[in-house]
Amino acid sequence: MMKKLYEKSELGFALMWIGIYCVGMSIFDEISRRIGVESAASAVFAVAVSLFLYFWLKQQGKLERFGLCKPTVPAKAFLFYIPLIVITLQNVWGGVEMHYDAVGTVCFIVKMLCVGFLEELIFRGFLFKAMSRDSIKWAVVVSSVTFGLGHIINLINGSGMGLAENLVQIFFAMLIGFLYVIIFHRGGSLWPCIVSHGVLNSLSAFSAEGEGMIQLGILCVLTVAYAVVLLKILPKNKDREYIFYEITKPQGSYYRQFAGFGQSHCRSYGC
């Protein structure tokens, strides 16, 4: 059934999984609250769905299509992911606090690591790939905005998040969704996005209360700036193999090779 739906409509397939994920997580989060163990039921659900999708895609030979493979561009071209690491650690910028007991913390971390995998695969993988057949620009916009709006579910799932806090979360989710889709589209791999997303979510179990507007502003500026820099320096898809060779070949300086390629790339294709 899944294979038939995928072959009939990739967009329909993506929307189906968005629905399954959002509804399923809401139901199992409520079950977790009722049994009194933080994220226990939702962690089981998230692990089960993650394993199911991974092995289904592997069976269908679709892992590479949806970015579950090594990046085709070296880490040097991503500035060694240093800005991404800084963004990923934003939940502990202001200090560390424990919010759950030991069992609750473990369940929460397992759940959030899987949430990182599922949200990246569904929004950056399924949805972006389905829409990019017609327009890359619209695929980037819709994938990022849909990902951000998907967090509105926190208003209705009993998370305790207020309206203002949720709106801020939605705005930041759109920005980081844009960054993640650039990393995936230009780098060819979803794994950096999955790891960053999962760790970022997991660290919220240890975040100190009272994130200030200055910190939020810095975070948003850093996210947008890193995305813009990557758009300028990363090769478009058709140039990945060439840039990988240029950056990794032994002779010559990386910066000289990269700069030289960047100038010719922009003249030929635009940046």
Side-chain angles (χ1 to χ4, degrees):
M1 180 180 175
M2 275 183 55
K3 184 177 180 181
K4 288 182 179 179
L5 176 59
Y6 174 79
E7 292 174 344
K8 182 179 180 180
S9 171
E10 283 194 51
L11 182 57
F13 182 81
L15 294 176
M16 178 191 76
W17 276 105
I18 290 174
I20 291 173
Y21 169 74
C22 291
V23 173
M25 288 302 295
S26 294
I27 291 172
F28 282 91
D29 275 339
E30 179 61 28
I31 293 173
S32 298
R33 280 188 288 273
R34 292 193 178 190
I35 64 178
V37 181
E38 174 64 35
S39 301
S42 44
V44 173
F45 172 76
V47 169
V49 176
S50 297
L51 290 174
F52 173 79
L53 281 175
Y54 179 85
F55 285 108
W56 185 81
L57 290 172
K58 184 177 181 180
Q59 183 184 47
Q60 302 300 317
K62 301 290 185 183
L63 291 179
E64 186 172 353
R65 169 165 174 74
F66 293 110
L68 300 180
C69 56
K70 293 180 180 180
T72 54
V73 177
K76 287 181 180 180
F78 289 94
L79 309 180
F80 296 100
Y81 297 104
I82 292 173
L84 183 63
I85 293 170
V86 174
I87 293 167
T88 300
L89 298 177
Q90 58 101 359
N91 275 320
V92 293
W93 284 5
V96 175
E97 292 180 6
M98 292 293 294
H99 297 284
Y100 312 111
D101 60 21
V103 174
T105 299
V106 170
C107 290
F108 182 84
I109 291 173
V110 170
K111 168 190 163 181
M112 285 304 178
L113 290 174
C114 290
V115 163
F117 176 83
L118 289 170
E119 291 188 356
E120 290 309 309
L121 181 60
I122 292 170
F123 288 97
R124 242 69 63 195
F126 297 161
L127 183 60
F128 173 75
K129 281 292 188 179
M131 297 196 67
S132 65
R133 289 177 174 269
D134 298 319
S135 170
I136 293 292
K137 290 181 180 179
W138 275 110
V140 170
V141 171
V142 172
S143 174
S144 304
V145 171
T146 306
F147 175 67
L149 292 177
H151 288 75
I152 201 169
I153 198 170
N154 287 324
L155 280 176
I156 59 177
N157 68 359
S159 66
M161 187 175 288
L163 177 61
E165 188 180 1
N166 188 233
L167 291 176
V168 169
Q169 185 191 46
I170 289 170
F171 177 69
F172 175 66
M174 289 182 184
L175 293 183
I176 202 163
F178 175 70
L179 172 61
Y180 285 156
V181 80
I182 296 304
I183 291 173
F184 171 45
H185 178 56
R186 293 293 181 91
S189 176
L190 205 54
W191 285 118
C193 309
I194 290 170
V195 173
S196 170
H197 192 160
V199 173
L200 190 156
N201 285 351
S202 298
L203 289 177
S204 64
F206 309 101
S207 62
E209 298 293 339
E211 182 181 73
M213 291 303 295
I214 294 178
Q215 179 178 326
L216 179 63
I218 294 172
L219 181 63
C220 291
V221 169
L222 178 59
T223 302
V224 173
Y226 187 42
V228 170
V229 168
L230 292 183
L231 279 172
K232 291 292 184 182
I233 66 175
L234 285 178
K236 295 183 179 181
N237 286 0
K238 56 185 153 185
D239 300 311
R240 283 184 194 152
E241 291 184 4
Y242 179 83
I243 197 71
F244 184 87
Y245 170 75
E246 284 294 304
I247 292 176
T248 57
K249 69 182 182 181
Q251 63 270 31
S253 155
Y254 157 71
Y255 294 103
R256 175 168 50 81
Q257 293 162 11
F258 190 86
F261 172 78
Q263 293 169 1
S264 62
H265 172 77
C266 290
R267 285 197 296 269
S268 301
Y269 304 111
C271 291

